[in-house]
Amino acid sequence: MRVVIFCHSLKSCWNHGNAHFLRGIASELAARGHDVRIWEPADGWSRENVVRDHGADALERYREAYPALESTEYDIGKLNLNAALEDAGLVLVHEWNEPSLVAAIGEHRAKQKAGYVLLFHDTHHRSASDPGALRRYDLRHYDGVLAFGSVIRDIYLKHGWARRAWTWHEAADTRVFYPRPAEIEPVGDLVWIGNWGEGERTAELEEFLIGPVRDLRLRARIYGVRYPEPALEALRSAGIEYAGWLPNHRAPEVFASHRVTVHVPRRFYSTLLPGVPTIRVFEALACGIPLVSAPWADAEGLFTPGEDFLVARDANEMRRHLATLFEDATLRRDMAERGFATIRARHTCAHRVDELMQVYEEITAPVREVIA
């Protein structure tokens, strides 16, 4: 089947976490024999930023891990949807696309009476934090929404933004994210991979990351982008090395060279969106590194908190958990093994493609029954 994906970027993961999941899903679909076609805007914000900071070659770095994945760049004013959607069986349109394009694809399906299944894919907190932004999207001609958490799925249905919606959590691409050899010598105690963003977790990062690292005098390194000068100064004052942008496929080797990582969810995920972890939780556990998380409610039972990872309710508990992990190598090993086993059993991109195909079958079943 031809699967067509419209995304913000396949090539750039600069402040663009959806690229992580997209690459894994596209790889899994292709491995199963599907013809995957990916379209991204030539002037995408993430692309422009990574080129500005690291040069045009940075757009090719993803090929180190995904040599077979390709995308077609388009100018939205010149995009020929008839050509882009020719022979499509399934079309995924990510939420980080221009509303005009989202609407145009829906209109194409309606006017051409095209037979492809058309799904809108939402992996952001906007539906809860800024519902007005979602009203810009015309989903009348879509078969439904794939939401990366049940709370988001329910928002779409409650507001009538979509006729149908399914929960489709993110997951780890275990072709790339897996434990590296134990012989890799740790170069630091703790690593955190995450972007500063718009200040949604400034206080949380001080409480659950910067403060504990400073108090425990850990050798720590942080990767990410969009760190303002006050944030950089806070890291320097705590003795934390700031290492800048990390191409996402390089994260496994970085995890392997540190003993522990932490998860500090943005405020919206710890308050408005219970049950929605970011993809970095899946990826870290897939790499077999012990993880301590700031509070978030695993309302959908994706993991077993306390076994797959530890949860710190405040700064004091974060310090205690980290200190215990550094003192107890057996605990570090056992936690890493449990987290890794949970990912392998339930949260790989192969599992998510199985779920996607189930959605496809559910949508097309009535049509097949009529033909039969």
Side-chain angles (χ1 to χ4, degrees):
M1 177 170 62
R2 178 167 294 174
V3 181
V4 181
I5 301 171
F6 289 88
C7 64
H8 178 70
S9 185
L10 168 78
K11 295 182 176 180
S12 176
C13 63
W14 194 99
N15 204 82
H16 178 224
N18 185 246
H20 309 190
F21 185 52
L22 166 63
R23 292 166 180 171
I25 291 298
S27 296
E28 181 64 28
L29 286 166
R32 298 187 186 195
H34 297 287
D35 176 14
V36 182
R37 308 288 178 92
I38 301 172
W39 293 79
E40 65 176 277
D43 60 351
W45 175 81
S46 179
R47 292 169 54 101
E48 290 184 343
N49 277 281
V50 79
V51 169
R52 180 201 65 203
D53 290 354
H54 301 280
D57 290 347
L59 289 175
E60 302 302 315
R61 297 283 295 276
Y62 80 99
R63 296 185 191 278
E64 296 168 3
Y66 299 97
L69 287 188
E70 294 283 352
S71 64
T72 302
E73 300 163 18
Y74 67 84
D75 177 334
I76 195 167
K78 300 177 182 178
L79 178 61
N80 182 337
L81 286 179
N82 287 331
L85 295 167
E86 184 178 10
D87 296 328
L90 172 63
V91 179
L92 304 181
V93 182
H94 189 256
E95 178 265 341
W96 203 355
N97 276 293
E98 289 296 324
S100 59
L101 176 64
V102 174
I105 295 171
E107 290 292 335
H108 176 273
R109 182 177 185 267
K111 291 180 179 178
Q112 300 296 325
K113 294 183 173 56
Y116 55 79
V117 169
L118 179 58
L119 296 167
F120 188 66
H121 183 204
D122 192 339
T123 59
H124 201 274
H125 57 66
R126 266 184 216 95
S127 59
S129 62
D130 185 15
L134 270 295
R135 297 189 183 99
R136 300 180 302 154
Y137 294 102
D138 181 359
L139 304 180
R140 287 176 297 167
H141 304 302
Y142 283 64
D143 290 294
V145 170
L146 299 173
F148 80 144
S150 294
V151 63
I152 297 173
R153 175 203 64 198
D154 293 345
I155 288 172
Y156 273 89
L157 297 175
K158 175 183 175 181
H159 290 286
W161 295 337
R163 290 178 294 172
R164 305 169 80 180
W166 295 265
T167 301
W168 198 42
H169 285 287
E170 294 179 313
D173 176 8
T174 50
R175 288 184 174 85
V176 175
F177 290 83
Y178 57 86
R180 294 314 194 251
E183 306 85 60
I184 294 179
E185 187 68 25
V187 299
D189 298 318
L190 181 148
V191 64
W192 188 68
I193 305 174
N195 304 316
W196 190 264
E198 304 291 345
E200 308 104 319
R201 57 182 165 192
T202 302
E204 290 86 347
L205 287 171
E206 169 59 36
E207 179 178 6
F208 292 100
L209 177 61
I210 298 172
V213 166
R214 180 181 57 241
D215 296 343
L216 295 172
R217 299 186 178 183
L218 302 178
R219 293 176 299 160
R221 181 179 293 171
I222 286 180
Y223 292 87
V225 300
R226 302 180 73 194
Y227 281 69
E229 183 53 37
L232 296 175
E233 177 56 33
L235 299 186
R236 288 190 290 267
S237 297
I240 298 172
E241 177 187 355
Y242 173 62
W245 174 63
L246 178 71
N248 190 56
H249 65 276
R250 297 279 309 280
E253 63 195 67
V254 170
F255 285 136
S257 62
H258 292 79
R259 291 184 172 86
V260 172
T261 190
V262 298
H263 173 52
V264 185
R266 296 175 190 269
R267 197 166 305 139
F268 295 118
Y269 294 105
S270 61
T271 55
L272 295 177
L273 300 176
V276 184
T278 71
I279 195 168
R280 296 193 190 276
V281 174
F282 297 109
E283 291 176 341
L285 296 182
C287 290
I289 185 170
L291 181 147
V292 185
S293 179
W296 67 277
D298 186 12
E300 298 183 44
L302 300 176
F303 302 102
T304 305
E307 295 185 11
D308 295 330
F309 55 84
L310 300 179
V311 179
R313 291 166 293 183
D314 54 34
N316 288 333
E317 198 162 36
M318 177 63 79
R319 284 191 290 269
R320 288 198 299 272
H321 283 329
L322 291 175
T324 299
L325 283 169
F326 287 120
E327 293 169 0
D328 191 337
T330 300
L331 176 60
R332 291 200 306 272
R333 185 195 64 221
D334 290 348
M335 273 189 55
E337 289 177 354
R338 283 195 294 265
F340 172 72
T342 296
I343 295 297
R344 287 285 182 168
R346 303 172 59 191
H347 303 306
T348 71
C349 285
H351 290 104
R352 298 302 181 256
V353 168
D354 288 343
E355 294 165 7
L356 177 62
M357 291 298 105
Q358 289 170 6
V359 170
Y360 176 83
E361 293 293 326
E362 181 180 337
I363 292 170
T364 58
V367 176
R368 294 197 304 274
E369 290 173 2
V370 168
I371 293 175

